[in-house]
Amino acid sequence: MTTSKAAIVVHGGAGSSDKYQDGCDHAAQVAAAILQGEGKALDAAIRAVAAMEDDGRFNAGCGSVFCLDGETVEMDAGVMDSNGLLGAVACLQRVKNPVLVAREVANTPHWLLAGEGAQRFARSAGFADYHSPSRKARDSYIELMKKLTIDADKDAYAPVLAHWNYAISPSEAIKRHGSGTVGAVVRGSRGDFAVATSTGGCTPALLGRVGDTPIIGCGFYAGALGAVAATGIGEYIARQMLARTVYGWIEQGMPLQAALNRGIALFQEGISVGLIAITEHETAASSSGEMATATRHAVID
């Protein structure tokens, strides 16, 4: 009888503090239970991310940030495994678990659905209308609106405000009120690998903004040798095609921790970025700052 050591690594987003550690621990435990029951790597990765979407503290699912109008929430998610399954959604609104919709997209001839089309697809696939932003998201929005109005360095927001594309004006949004990703990489008992990611986007951002999270090779990648998930400022991560770049170094035989550290070193100081990855024998995480993570192993006889 053989023994297979399945494993999972999850992260709560670049910049997430140890206050969220229990949420990562819970997500990893959910995934480990699936692996212990000899579930597929992708199922475990998706359920881990769904647990963090339901948490409310992470910028994903129920905890997703408001867009600048103080009403809209746009979410992205992506899933992939080493068997070629691939699905993603971008700018998806009014669902509880974008990662589950991304998994459903993988059952279609397409790999990515966005905006209104993604929302219509979610309804046709049986995902209920859901819009219940967390208190943390509302408080964060209020703080942002204060900063937009009183911060002396308003030049940082000028490009966004100059191209404002919301239904209400900036002044109306300000009168009404005030970045991050979650991810999981898994090695299954069958030797398969998988990755799942989800985000509530970032502010300030124009309506329709998409970062790295749902883009294959940027926010996520899985292949025969392992799986990689990235988190941080998507506009920088996408330019490096970070997940696939790191996977390429793994293909070349670089030790996993060294590959992740090299990936973080691609970015100048002050840019928030993080990575988690898994291979046949290794698990690792690396970041430019704080990043809550959790790792679990499941020995299956």
Side-chain angles (χ1 to χ4, degrees), residues 91-173:
C91 297
L92 177 62
Q93 299 182 27
R94 305 190 71 89
V95 299
K96 186 178 183 183
N97 295 109
V99 72
L100 300 184
V101 183
R103 173 62 182 88
E104 195 65 29
V105 170
N107 293 331
T108 76
H110 312 302
W111 78 272
L112 173 66
L113 293 178
E116 183 181 352
Q119 186 171 336
R120 290 187 180 185
F121 171 79
R123 297 292 176 266
S124 70
F127 293 94
D129 183 89
Y130 183 89
H131 183 70
S132 184
S134 67
R135 168 47 56 187
K136 180 176 181 290
R138 294 187 184 280
D139 291 344
S140 296
Y141 181 77
I142 291 171
E143 288 304 309
L144 175 65
M145 289 299 100
K146 289 178 180 177
K147 196 166 188 178
L148 281 171
T149 55
I150 67 174
D151 192 339
D153 185 19
K154 292 179 183 176
D155 289 343
Y157 308 107
V160 173
L161 297 178
H163 298 281
W164 184 270
N165 62 349
Y166 296 89
I168 61 174
S169 70
S171 61
E172 287 174 331

Side-chain angles (χ1 to χ4, degrees), residues 41-288:
L42 186 62
D43 293 337
I46 289 171
R47 286 299 163 184
V49 168
M52 290 188 283
E53 288 178 335
D54 292 343
D55 186 286
R57 293 175 294 173
F58 300 102
N59 181 18
C62 298
S64 296
V65 298
F66 281 105
C67 294
L68 280 177
D69 61 354
E71 297 179 352
T72 308
V73 174
E74 292 187 323
M75 300 169 286
D76 306 330
V79 303
M80 185 179 187
D81 71 8
S82 53
N83 297 314
L85 190 145
L86 173 65
V89 291
C91 297
L92 177 62
Q93 299 182 27
R94 305 190 71 89
V95 299
K96 186 178 183 183
N97 295 109
V99 72
L100 300 184
V101 183
R103 173 62 182 88
E104 195 65 29
V105 170
N107 293 331
T108 76
H110 312 302
W111 78 272
L112 173 66
L113 293 178
E116 183 181 352
Q119 186 171 336
R120 290 187 180 185
F121 171 79
R123 297 292 176 266
S124 70
F127 293 94
D129 183 89
Y130 183 89
H131 183 70
S132 184
S134 67
R135 168 47 56 187
K136 180 176 181 290
R138 294 187 184 280
D139 291 344
S140 296
Y141 181 77
I142 291 171
E143 288 304 309
L144 175 65
M145 289 299 100
K146 289 178 180 177
K147 196 166 188 178
L148 281 171
T149 55
I150 67 174
D151 192 339
D153 185 19
K154 292 179 183 176
D155 289 343
Y157 308 107
V160 173
L161 297 178
H163 298 281
W164 184 270
N165 62 349
Y166 296 89
I168 61 174
S169 70
S171 61
E172 287 174 331
I174 291 169
K175 287 176 183 176
R176 292 186 187 187
H177 307 281
S179 135
T181 318
V182 298
V185 292
V186 176
R187 177 177 65 235
S189 61
R190 302 173 179 83
D192 53 332
F193 296 99
V195 57
T197 61
S198 181
T199 184
C202 72
T203 52
L206 294 172
L207 192 67
R209 177 264 184 189
V210 178
D212 65 294
T213 300
I215 307 301
I216 181 175
C218 297
F220 66 96
Y221 192 81
L225 298 180
V228 182
T231 174
I233 303 176
E235 283 73 12
Y236 291 97
I237 290 172
R239 285 175 169 81
Q240 296 290 348
M241 296 193 66
L242 185 59
R244 186 59 182 85
T245 296
V246 170
Y247 186 84
W249 294 331
I250 294 170
E251 286 182 311
Q252 295 170 15
M254 185 179 295
L256 187 58
Q257 190 66 60
L260 267 59
N261 292 345
R262 184 177 178 183
I264 299 301
L266 291 173
F267 302 88
Q268 66 186 44
E269 187 176 352
I271 295 176
S272 180
V273 63
L275 286 162
I276 57 172
I278 195 164
T279 60
E280 183 180 2
H281 301 294
E282 298 177 285
T283 61
S286 185
S287 64
S288 61

